[in-house]
Amino acid sequence: MSITLTFHGAAGCVTGSCVEVETPKARLLIDCGMFQGPKTLKALNYGDFPFDPQTVDAVLLTHAHLDHAGLLPKLVKAGFKGPIHATAATRDLCGVMLPDAGGIQETEVRHLNRRNLRRGLPQVEPIYTARDGERTIRQFSKVKLGVPVEIAPGVRAIYWEAGHILGATSIELRVETEEGETSFLFSGDIGQGGRDYAADPEGPAGVDHLILESTYGNRDRLNLAPPERRAALAQELRDAHAAGGPVLIPTFAVERAQELIADLVALMEAGEVPEADIFLDSPLAIEATEVFQQRGYNRTTGVNPFDRLRAGGRLNFLRKPAESDRIDRLRGWHIILAGSGMCDAGRVRKHLKRLLWRREATVLLSGYQAVGTLGRILEDGASRVSIQGEEVQVRARIRALDIYSGHADAGGLVAWAKARAPVSGAVFLCHGEPEALEGLSARLVGAGFDGASIRVPDLDAAYEISGATVDGAKPPAPQRARRLAPGQAVKADWHNARVALNMALNAALAEAPTDAAREALLARLTGVLGEQSEPSQAP
């Protein structure tokens, strides 16, 4: 009997990581992540899983980021009763992240339902609650790096350091079949290596099939040593100080916030940037910071670089909404770090509405911005944006500092993949947008990989694995039903287009020379809408 891999997420996009592995004796999931980005993609979070959760024997979790772990409470709520195998650090981070994600959903659904009541629309339910997140942690089973774990009959796993965030791993899976053992290596998210805040990525050599992330598969980024990284941040901060206003850093709560704070504190202690109050306005990041201070030991450098995050008394934790609201009155030089990192949720949206229209303010984007997110729209240079239904003109300085990413760039990914050679079977490229997937595929071929061995799955695509060869990795027939058409996961969808149209209409009405011109414009639009609503006439 063959093994089947089905890519239920992070296929053709960078979120929703979830691979179903069906062996002769077990059904497993590698990750169970939440989709982020366009609303069409995020809608998948609310639908049924494309598999029966009650038939899943175990989950193997690479790390705690929500795009890899964010739907675990939904899985448990739907009847999954098996173990979730993860490192101790991943378990501890999920212990704060999953209840927080559930609490955010509860809050946002309450606001949405109030609006729906006024509009006469039906009520909705959160994907899961904070309590569901807490219950999920009870099913975690701790693993240690490099120690084989019996996952199910005929299935062993070995977890390897991934160098991405605290506790992040790559997972080697070894499956017994009638024809012999077949090995798989799921990269998870791979770090660049050479960082003071994370260990260098590792992994075995000589695997049968490789499943490789591709986030930066077509990009070479500056891989700066710590002094050069802090120097680049210092220059951005000095420029922001010269502009006369505060700095808002939309930040990912786990790893990115802690790394930025550590560098901010170090720069202020060294006198390289003007001293400032640093406000961490993210309850999740605050709780995660405590985990980093406890478990942030770097195996490569032999130190915990997060020991001094609160040195000098510059860092202020804003736990309660009222504390967050009070900094609205601040003017002049200060620094705010708030979630979410892609600007699509959390307290950062409130600060963006308050600061984006102010020329003296600086918004410093510090990580990857997925297609369709507010962060990506700002990064692409939008002059006006819509935040929670309110239009805001963008006058603030929008800066992007892509030197803190926990992902390896294209060169780093190729080097890591080559170190896993020989790969006798297929190389599956996932967790990347189309350009990144295409770029990494070309680079792998240039590095000596056989182009015929490379597979780029679409969402919900399945592959039957028969043995350790390239020919033994083929799509089964017929293919399973897919939830989205190929390429749809990374397109700005009709929701984005509607927001853009509303803003364009408002701008056109404001710029029209006379009321008559405005009335004519509205009449034309009304006519178009009338044509759309008329039933089609069959010939």
Side-chain angles (χ1 to χ4, degrees):
M1 180 178 176
S2 62
I3 302 162
T4 302
L5 299 186
T6 307
F7 293 80
H8 293 304
C13 63
V14 295
T15 63
S17 179
C18 182
V19 181
E20 179 186 356
V21 183
E22 186 177 358
T23 79
K25 297 181 180 179
R27 185 184 302 273
L28 313 170
L29 295 183
I30 310 296
D31 291 340
C32 189
M34 184 173 283
F35 290 98
Q36 299 162 314
K39 287 188 177 181
T40 297
L41 185 59
K42 290 192 290 188
L44 298 180
N45 296 324
Y46 292 86
D48 293 336
F49 286 109
F51 51 82
D52 182 358
Q54 298 185 51
T55 66
V56 176
D57 296 292
V59 175
L60 293 82
L61 183 59
T62 61
H63 65 285
H65 275 153
L66 289 182
D67 64 323
H68 291 256
L71 289 187
L72 285 172
K74 177 182 176 180
L75 188 75
V76 171
K77 188 177 177 181
F80 168 67
K81 300 186 184 304
I84 301 167
H85 299 283
T87 61
T90 294
R91 178 200 60 196
D92 289 354
L93 288 173
C94 283
V96 297
M97 294 184 71
L98 297 182
D100 179 83
I104 289 174
Q105 290 170 48
E106 291 180 87
T107 299
E108 294 192 340
V109 163
R110 279 197 299 271
H111 293 320
L112 175 61
N113 281 338
R114 282 199 292 269
R115 295 196 298 271
N116 284 352
L117 278 173
R118 292 193 295 267
R119 299 168 179 169
L121 297 175
Q123 300 289 281
V124 298
E125 296 287 335
I127 303 170
Y128 56 85
T129 65
R131 191 172 182 183
D132 293 326
E134 293 166 358
R135 288 172 176 161
T136 300
I137 305 306
R138 301 172 192 166
Q139 293 180 221
F140 273 65
S141 176
K142 185 175 70 174
V143 302
K144 294 183 178 180
L145 295 178
V147 179
V149 181
E150 295 294 329
I151 300 298
V155 182
R156 289 181 300 129
I158 302 175
Y159 284 64
W160 297 85
E161 174 66 60
H164 173 57
I165 67 166
L166 184 65
T169 58
S170 302
I171 299 176
E172 179 185 2
L173 204 64
R174 308 190 76 88
V175 182
E176 292 290 346
T177 68
E178 293 178 356
E179 293 77 23
E181 186 179 73
T182 302
S183 66
F184 302 84
L185 181 60
F186 297 84
S187 72
D189 288 352
I190 296 296
Q192 185 74 18
R195 300 167 62 212
D196 47 346
Y197 293 137
D200 293 343
E202 301 171 347
V207 298
D208 295 335
H209 301 282
L210 178 63
I211 298 87
L212 179 61
E213 71 117 323
S214 313
T215 309
Y216 286 103
N218 63 331
R219 293 170 58 183
D220 289 311
R221 293 182 294 107
L222 286 174
N223 187 23
L224 300 180
E228 286 76 26
R229 182 191 68 232
R230 283 190 282 270
L233 175 62
Q235 186 59 57
E236 292 289 347
L237 294 173
R238 288 192 291 266
D239 291 345
H241 180 262
V247 177
L248 173 62
I249 307 179
T251 185
F252 301 95
V254 175
E255 192 91 16
R256 191 66 43 76
Q258 292 75 30
E259 293 182 0
L260 282 162
I261 293 168
D263 276 359
L264 289 169
V265 170
L267 288 170
M268 290 181 191
E269 287 184 332
E272 296 185 34
V273 300
E275 288 202 13
D277 284 324
I278 304 169
F279 298 96
L280 182 56
D281 193 11
S282 166
L284 172 58
I286 292 168
E287 291 190 65
T289 296
E290 295 168 352
V291 176
F292 274 77
Q293 289 180 305
Q294 178 185 359
R295 294 193 176 275
Y297 177 80
N298 184 334
R299 295 169 57 245
T300 301
T301 62
V303 298
N304 183 347
F306 304 105
D307 280 337
R308 293 181 51 78
L309 290 184
R310 305 207 71 175
R314 299 174 180 85
L315 177 60
N316 302 274
F317 286 165
L318 306 181
R319 298 179 186 272
K320 299 178 181 179
E323 295 172 328
S324 173
D325 292 340
R326 279 198 289 271
I327 65 173
D328 290 357
R329 297 190 292 270
L330 289 179
R331 294 293 182 268
W333 174 238
H334 58 280
I335 301 170
I336 304 169
L337 294 91
S340 68
M342 297 185 192
C343 307
D344 261 14
R347 295 180 182 178
V348 73
R349 293 180 297 180
K350 174 189 70 173
H351 296 300
L352 286 167
K353 284 197 289 186
R354 179 173 64 90
L355 296 174
L356 274 177
W357 59 272
R358 292 167 53 183
R359 295 186 188 280
E360 71 274 19
T362 298
V363 176
L364 181 59
L365 302 172
S366 62
Y368 185 83
Q369 307 296 318
V371 169
T373 62
L374 177 57
R376 181 69 161 261
I377 292 168
L378 289 170
E379 189 175 42
D380 288 344
S383 59
R384 298 181 71 85
V385 295
S386 177
I387 304 176
Q388 296 172 315
E390 183 177 340
E391 284 189 35
V392 182
Q393 186 169 2
V394 180
R395 293 193 182 99
R397 303 171 64 253
I398 307 299
R399 302 289 298 164
L401 192 61
D402 193 15
I403 58 175
Y404 283 89
S405 176
H407 289 272
D409 64 4
L413 290 170
V414 171
W416 186 86
K418 287 179 66 176
R420 311 285 76 82
V423 179
S424 60
V427 178
F428 296 90
L429 300 184
C430 58
H431 205 288
E433 294 180 0
E435 296 82 1
L437 294 162
E438 182 179 348
L440 184 56
S441 177
R443 287 179 181 242
L444 288 171
V445 171
F449 283 81
D450 182 1
S453 72
I454 297 174
R455 310 282 189 272
V456 182
D458 291 320
L459 185 66
D460 295 320
Y463 293 81
E464 285 186 356
I465 309 297
S466 301
T469 66
V470 173
D471 291 338
K474 297 180 179 179
Q479 287 277 45
R480 302 182 185 186
R482 298 182 185 179
R483 289 167 290 167
L484 291 179
Q488 188 177 355
V490 291
K491 292 179 179 178
D493 60 16
W494 70 268
H495 298 279
N496 301 102
R498 179 183 62 182
V499 170
L501 176 62
N502 285 338
M503 292 193 295
L505 174 58
N506 291 337
L509 291 172
E511 295 169 2
T514 64
D515 284 348
R518 296 181 180 94
E519 290 171 358
L521 173 60
L522 292 173
R524 291 199 300 273
L525 291 174
T526 301
V528 172
L529 293 174
E531 293 172 4
Q532 292 293 323
S533 62
E534 292 177 1
S536 60
Q537 301 294 322

